[in-house]
Amino acid sequence: MHAVFDGHNDVLLRLWRREKAGGDVVAEFMEGTQQGHIDLPRARAGGLVGGLCAIYVPSGDLALKRPDAAGHYVTPLAAPLEREPSLDTALEMAAIALRLERAGGWRLCRSGDDIHEALGEEKFAAVLHMEGCEAIGPDLAALEVFYAAGLRSLGPVWSRNNIFGHGTPFAFPMSPDTGPGLTQAGRELVKACNRLGILIDLSHITERGFWDIAELSDQPLVASHSNPHALVPVARNLTDRQLDAIRERNGLVGLNFAVTMLRADGRENAGTPLSDLVRHIDYLVDKVGIDGVALGSDFDGALIPREIGSAAGLQNLVMALQDAGYGGAELAKLCRENWLRVLRSAWHEG
Ligand code: ZN
């Protein structure tokens, strides 16, 4: 079994929804259910030892994309959110993360040593991430408080515009160059993340925003859950130029398991074979290098291939990578070491 540290999941969103429906989410996570993709028993079964767990405020009004006869679709950006209800939701998700830590369900990791120790203790190593910063105001006061609560990674925007910047829509085929990038408040947010040691995630932001952050940030360039645009031209994927920049800046790309971002036809089809994921890894390794490719499953946030199914099926992908020729140190880099390296770098630990 190869231990996997994964760059993006939405388990907190799933648990938050369960809590709203009256569920005891600490018990459900620790004892396991067959809902969604991640809980402790399934993480153990699949070798998922930790990952970035997103605080994400859902958009209630997001209209579903409807592919035309050619399979093309454009989902307009979701409407911007108000800050106060977003802050309430973000606090509720952070509270679930903190309660899980107190109950021993996982360790909320604030440093590379925390992750290292969690893995040694066989505790799930959770890193708190914020996917879209609607909960944070332009004074960045909430950023300081979330940092104190354990926040160590954020994407300024989800596929939605906010005071910090502009997001890419869910659209196929479409270039990621869909609009403006960072606002002035977004530039201040990036500087604050550099100062505090919070990883800045480039997934979901427009190509313009990507270049704005590349210019302003001193961190490795990291897209936690995106795939190569050359293989699947959805607006959420990364162009070759972006991949080149990630390589130059010692960053990484986490492979997203969302089938719409893996399939050449862009379709919502769980019958997507593991060979499609391997094809993306091969392409990314060729463009970014073996030190710049990792996993960013989007567990609990997307339709994923049936052959993985949930965290419990993660070793099926690991075996497919082994069959494709990845072994030893290379496999360790893809499965966890690259993530640990970029997190330490963004956190000013070397
Ligand atoms: Zn996402």
Side-chain angles (χ1 to χ4, degrees):
M1 182 108 80
H2 282 264
V4 173
F5 183 94
D6 177 71
H8 188 84
N9 73 68
D10 284 302
V11 69
L12 288 172
L13 172 66
R14 187 175 69 73
L15 295 177
W16 176 81
R17 286 184 165 138
R18 285 289 307 146
E19 190 166 71
K20 293 282 171 197
D24 177 352
V25 296
V26 169
E28 288 184 8
F29 181 81
M30 291 177 69
E31 290 155 25
T33 62
Q34 285 309 306
Q35 293 163 355
H37 297 147
I38 299 183
D39 52 40
L40 222 39
R42 283 180 291 174
R44 288 217 175 94
L48 178 66
V49 297
L52 277 75
C53 302
I55 292 173
Y56 160 71
V57 181
S59 273
D61 66 337
L62 189 67
L64 290 177
K65 57 201 174 198
R66 290 177 200 285
D68 65 17
H72 298 179
Y73 61 84
V74 179
T75 304
L77 285 179
L81 301 181
E82 296 295 323
R83 188 161 83 91
E84 283 185 24
S86 302
L87 179 57
D88 286 346
T89 301
L91 288 171
E92 288 163 3
M93 289 188 199
I96 292 171
L98 292 165
R99 289 210 306 279
L100 270 170
E101 176 172 54
R102 272 202 305 282
W106 66 22
R107 176 153 173 181
L108 211 49
C109 295
R110 294 164 167 83
S111 68
D113 289 348
D114 279 357
I115 298 177
H116 192 74
E117 284 171 25
L119 302 193
E121 295 163 358
E122 296 189 10
K123 274 263 193 257
F124 188 93
V127 172
L128 202 53
H129 169 76
M130 186 173 276
E131 185 174 28
C133 291
E134 281 80 357
I136 296 172
D139 61 0
L140 305 182
L143 181 72
E144 300 273 359
V145 177
F146 278 108
Y147 177 82
L151 187 74
R152 288 295 179 276
S153 170
L154 64 78
V157 298
W158 182 67
S159 287
R160 185 167 64 196
N161 299 334
N162 64 25
I163 62 166
F164 300 114
H166 298 80
T168 51
F170 296 100
F172 172 85
M174 187 179 278
S175 151
D177 186 11
T178 57
L182 288 178
T183 62
Q184 189 52 42
R187 304 175 74 80
E188 295 306 320
L189 176 67
V190 167
K191 287 185 214 162
C193 288
N194 276 297
R195 202 161 55 234
L196 286 167
I198 298 177
L199 178 80
I200 300 159
D201 180 13
L202 296 157
S203 286
H204 286 283
I205 202 162
T206 57
E207 185 171 4
R208 186 66 255 157
F210 177 101
W211 297 118
D212 288 345
I213 291 170
E215 195 184 312
L216 199 60
S217 174
D218 55 24
Q219 295 179 8
L221 300 182
V222 169
S224 69
H225 59 306
S226 294
N227 294 341
H229 194 269
L231 297 188
V232 182
V234 288
R236 271 276 285 108
N237 282 344
L238 300 160
T239 65
D240 285 352
R241 268 190 73 214
Q242 289 177 295
L243 296 178
D244 289 343
I246 289 170
R247 180 184 195 127
E248 279 166 30
R249 293 280 294 273
N250 299 316
L252 70 72
V253 181
L255 178 77
N256 195 320
F257 301 176
V259 294
T260 53
M261 295 168 70
L262 286 168
R263 298 173 62 84
D265 65 7
R267 300 262 181 185
E268 195 108 56
N269 179 351
T272 304
L274 292 175
S275 57
D276 272 354
L277 288 89
V278 173
R279 191 167 61 96
H280 281 253
I281 291 279
D282 285 343
Y283 189 90
L284 288 170
V285 168
D286 184 52
K287 293 299 285 184
V288 189
I290 192 70
D291 293 319
V293 185
L295 303 180
S297 67
D298 224 343
F299 279 143
D300 283 323
L303 182 71
I304 65 169
R306 197 176 294 124
E307 285 185 69
I308 297 176
S310 75
L314 206 39
Q315 294 299 310
N316 294 338
L317 173 59
V318 175
M319 283 188 281
L321 291 171
Q322 280 178 308
D323 290 346
Y326 297 99
E330 287 188 339
L331 200 56
K333 285 179 180 187
L334 296 175
C335 288
R336 60 182 181 280
E337 297 302 330
N338 289 337
W339 263 119
L340 304 191
R341 174 183 63 77
V342 297
L343 288 172
R344 281 191 186 271
S345 174
W347 296 345
H348 307 150
E349 296 172 21

